[in-house]
Amino acid sequence: MEQKHKQEFALASVTELSSSSASALTQSSPVFARFSARNGLVELRFSEESEAIGGYNVDPCTAQLLKLGPVQSVCISKDSDTNEEKSYSRGITIQFRDEEESRAFHCAFEQWKTEVKDQGTHLPNGDVSGSLKSKFDDKVEPSSAKMYFHYYGQLLHQQNMLQDYVRTGTYYAAVIENRADFTGRVVVDVGAGSGILSLFAAQAGAKHVYAVEASEMAEYARKLIAGNPSLGERITVIKGKVEEVELPEKADILISEPMGTLLVNERMLETYVIARDRFLVPMGKMFPSVGRIHMAPFSDEYLFVEIANKALFWQQQNYYGVDLTPLYGSAFHGYFSQPVVDAFDPRLLVAPAVSHVIDFKKTKEENLYEIDIPLKFISSVGTRVHGLACWFDVLFDGSTVQRWLTTAPGAPTTHWYQLRCVLSQPLYVMAGQEITGQLRMIAHSAQSYTIYLTLSVKMWGPGADQGGILQTSSCKLDLKEPYYRMSQPQPYVLTQDQQPHQLMHSQDIPIQAEDLEEPELIQLQSQCSGAQLQ
């Protein structure tokens, strides 16, 4: 940057945007875009030959330059006003004279931006940063991020999610049934993927949709949206991380599918919350707006034996002349450190479920770094408890219709299935006995969580009030490395003293305002099902 202090481009025209409308700036003389460097700071200035257009300068460090067509682009940046409401509402549309000039300008923009990153730049608050790492980059190790965006940049994985008709159909119904929330509104699709939710929002009458996608899937989204021109004319695909991109206006509604296994895996919920804080107008809507993690102890002898038997390989004392038994203990604990992802029969649950609520409209990003959930159950049967079963649901709180998307056992299976944490030391319980414990989840830089589970059985019968803990079992699991069992529910025979019970469908459980004040446990009532597996 020492050798290159200025670079200039002639433009066909410039149109200034505002949050409510676009106003054309008619120029009687040529319009120029000038890059310049002074005192280590880089500036992009749009001006006539003699004076600045509205005094509008751009900081390439924080600005986004997006192509709208072969000779048209939009430049979005923070307003020079420090007022938070205006911090993402300034932008201009640039019309070039030909495609070659458009390419040259984009190339220069990236070069100047790169040089800023290499040398460090002044941030809006006056601090100097040697690198422009976003909050995402600070939290996530590069290898994990690379694999994550590579995975979601492939059409086959998008197809897997699109073909989850419970997921896709519920989103479609939630949007279309609540047209009143979308008609004439600005929508931001957070982590847009293929762009399907953006297209749903446009179908529901959205004024404009900004589809933000960081992976290479953004290019496929552009193709899909361009192939649906009646909807696509109201959709802009922006390739970049939510933590980094700038938008020309605030959103009335955020829509996203940020749920991973156990709701929180992949840590996309944090990005959803960041998008809320950056882009959503006060009192704006979020689709979905609430998530709940449901938990209940389960008994599954087949699963326990299956996992334990995996380690038997390491009990061989003469494997090609080698004694493998020194590694048996490590292998045994290793297999039990994997959460099991599959669909299971709800009759395997030995107590009604409890739930932990996360209100996406109110929770802070930091609240998702560490999640502690106290557990308390009353066993419905006498059996061996092999661990804790978990699933989730989310609420689309529309003005017209409230709709739930559930991953509960017994409900139609989704690509999330359910998740079970299996104890290497099962617990013995009697009907009516109290089971207590804690589920603790700590986020890590591989975009997932380390799970710590403890379950204890309290003394039961006469004198229990004076008694303590009879048995305790704990395990540590890595949510990033599950065992994808994904089998269909196994036939399960009821024991003589067991009564069938079914989880109340999430769609039938109203959420009260007081439930959302703080994440807490909700005791779900049990209900006889009478449903039998064939």
Side-chain angles (χ1 to χ4, degrees):
M1 209 172 333
E2 299 304 324
Q3 290 78 26
K4 183 173 64 176
H5 294 283
K6 184 179 290 188
Q7 191 174 9
E8 187 172 276
F9 291 86
L11 308 175
S13 66
V14 168
T15 303
E16 187 173 14
L17 301 176
S18 69
S19 58
S20 56
S21 63
S23 56
L25 297 177
T26 305
Q27 302 301 323
S28 57
S29 57
V31 183
F32 293 91
R34 293 183 176 91
F35 294 93
S36 61
R38 183 169 43 187
N39 299 326
L41 297 178
V42 171
E43 179 183 80
L44 169 58
R45 187 183 188 90
F46 294 92
S47 66
E48 293 183 16
E49 195 166 7
S50 57
E51 58 181 321
I53 299 175
Y56 187 43
N57 300 326
V58 172
D59 179 2
C61 167
T62 59
Q64 295 285 321
L65 183 65
L66 309 168
K67 269 187 175 290
L68 298 180
V71 294
Q72 190 179 47
S73 298
V74 61
C75 185
I76 306 165
S77 70
K78 291 185 179 181
D79 195 296
S80 58
D81 192 331
T82 57
N83 187 320
E84 225 175 85
E85 288 299 311
K86 298 181 181 178
S87 59
Y88 299 104
S89 60
R90 196 80 187 268
I92 62 170
T93 299
I94 307 166
Q95 191 75 30
F96 299 97
R97 293 180 298 185
D98 54 49
E99 290 187 44
E100 185 176 346
E101 286 190 354
S102 173
R103 284 194 297 269
F105 183 84
H106 275 260
C107 182
F109 185 91
E110 292 303 320
Q111 287 177 349
W112 282 86
K113 193 167 187 173
T114 300
E115 291 183 9
V116 171
K117 290 183 179 182
D118 290 342
Q119 296 194 15
T121 183
H122 290 274
L123 301 178
N125 62 5
D127 293 335
V128 176
S129 171
S131 67
L132 295 180
K133 290 179 69 176
S134 70
K135 203 164 191 179
F136 179 90
D137 296 324
D138 289 334
K139 295 187 300 184
V140 177
E141 59 188 43
S143 59
S144 176
K146 183 178 180 180
M147 291 177 62
Y148 176 77
F149 291 125
H150 174 73
Y151 179 91
Y152 284 107
Q154 299 179 66
L155 279 175
L156 68 157
H157 297 305
Q158 295 293 329
Q159 180 178 336
N160 178 50
M161 292 185 288
L162 291 173
Q163 288 181 320
D164 179 347
Y165 298 114
V166 175
R167 165 197 179 270
T168 307
T170 302
Y171 268 90
Y172 179 77
V175 172
I176 299 303
E177 291 172 350
N178 290 287
R179 286 180 180 271
D181 293 325
F182 288 84
T183 301
R185 306 295 171 82
V186 175
V187 180
V188 171
D189 183 356
V190 181
S194 65
I196 191 70
L197 301 184
S198 297
L199 290 162
F200 289 171
Q203 286 184 51
K207 173 186 173 184
H208 201 85
V209 184
Y210 296 96
V212 182
E213 173 57 40
S215 78
E216 294 304 314
M217 186 52 55
E219 299 304 323
Y220 291 108
R222 287 194 177 106
K223 284 186 178 180
L224 182 63
I225 289 165
N228 293 267
S230 62
L231 302 173
E233 63 185 8
R234 289 178 283 124
I235 302 173
T236 300
V237 178
I238 299 175
K239 187 175 186 298
K241 299 185 182 76
V242 165
E243 294 84 352
E244 299 172 3
V245 301
E246 308 292 345
L247 300 182
E249 54 189 325
K250 291 280 189 178
D252 302 300
I253 303 178
L254 294 186
I255 189 167
S256 183
E257 195 266 75
M259 302 88 73
T261 307
L262 194 56
L263 183 61
V264 296
N265 188 41
E266 296 179 344
R267 299 183 65 180
M268 178 68 180
L269 284 181
E270 295 166 39
T271 297
Y272 192 35
V273 169
I274 290 171
R276 176 202 69 192
D277 294 340
R278 294 195 66 202
F279 305 136
L280 191 63
V281 299
M283 306 304 292
K285 283 192 168 290
M286 299 178 73
F287 275 56
S289 59
V290 173
R292 299 183 304 187
I293 301 173
H294 303 275
M295 299 144 287
F298 73 92
S299 179
D300 190 342
E301 201 71 40
Y302 294 110
L303 175 61
F304 177 79
V305 171
E306 177 186 331
I307 295 174
N309 283 348
K310 287 183 176 184
L312 291 179
F313 170 83
W314 299 96
Q315 283 195 331
Q316 297 180 81
Q317 295 179 339
N318 188 11
Y319 181 74
Y320 294 97
V322 177
D323 183 359
L324 301 182
T325 57
L327 296 181
Y328 171 73
S330 298
F332 182 86
H333 290 294
Y335 284 120
F336 278 96
S337 71
Q338 291 184 283
V340 177
V341 174
D342 69 349
F344 64 84
D345 186 337
R347 290 172 293 178
L348 295 174
L349 303 177
V350 302
V354 296
S355 299
H356 177 80
V357 178
I358 302 176
D359 186 350
F360 304 146
K361 302 187 302 297
K362 296 179 181 178
T363 192
K364 296 179 180 179
E365 177 198 353
E366 293 76 15
N367 293 344
L368 299 171
Y369 294 171
E370 188 171 327
I371 303 172
D372 284 299
I373 307 174
L375 304 173
K376 184 178 181 181
F377 310 96
I378 302 296
S379 177
S380 304
V381 297
T383 188
R384 286 217 305 175
V385 172
H386 292 104
L388 190 72
C390 308
W391 59 97
F392 70 87
D393 55 25
V394 293
L395 171 66
F396 300 91
D397 189 15
S399 299
T400 307
V401 177
Q402 279 194 341
R403 185 169 284 274
W404 287 92
L405 169 57
T406 181
T407 64
T413 303
T414 70
H415 78 285
W416 290 286
Y417 295 87
Q418 293 96 44
L419 180 135
R420 287 186 282 176
C421 303
V422 186
L423 298 168
S424 60
Q425 296 294 325
L427 301 172
Y428 293 84
V429 297
M430 300 293 290
Q433 199 164 10
E434 184 176 272
I435 305 169
T436 60
Q438 183 183 47
L439 181 68
R440 187 182 189 198
M441 297 185 287
I442 300 177
H444 59 64
S445 60
Q447 291 173 274
S448 193
Y449 286 78
T450 301
I451 300 173
Y452 297 90
L453 171 65
T454 299
L455 289 179
S456 301
V457 178
K458 297 189 72 173
M459 186 177 289
W460 181 82
D465 292 340
Q466 288 76 42
I469 300 296
L470 289 179
Q471 309 166 64
T472 295
S473 186
S474 300
C475 61
K476 176 184 175 182
L477 309 101
D478 187 355
L479 188 56
K480 179 81 171 182
E481 300 292 342
Y483 164 33
Y484 288 106
R485 191 169 180 240
M486 304 219 209
S487 62
Q488 291 304 308
Q490 298 291 325
Y492 182 67
V493 180
L494 296 178
T495 59
Q496 192 170 4
D497 63 342
Q498 186 174 3
Q499 295 298 318
H501 69 277
Q502 181 184 19
L503 298 165
M504 183 181 289
H505 287 300
S506 303
Q507 291 88 337
D508 299 329
I509 304 173
I511 279 213
Q512 304 299 327
E514 57 268 21
D515 293 335
L516 302 181
E517 292 302 319
E518 293 292 338
E520 59 183 8
L521 294 176
I522 302 175
Q523 188 73 36
L524 302 182
Q525 299 176 358
S526 61
Q527 196 178 33
C528 290
S529 85
Q532 300 294 324
L533 291 180
Q534 300 299 320

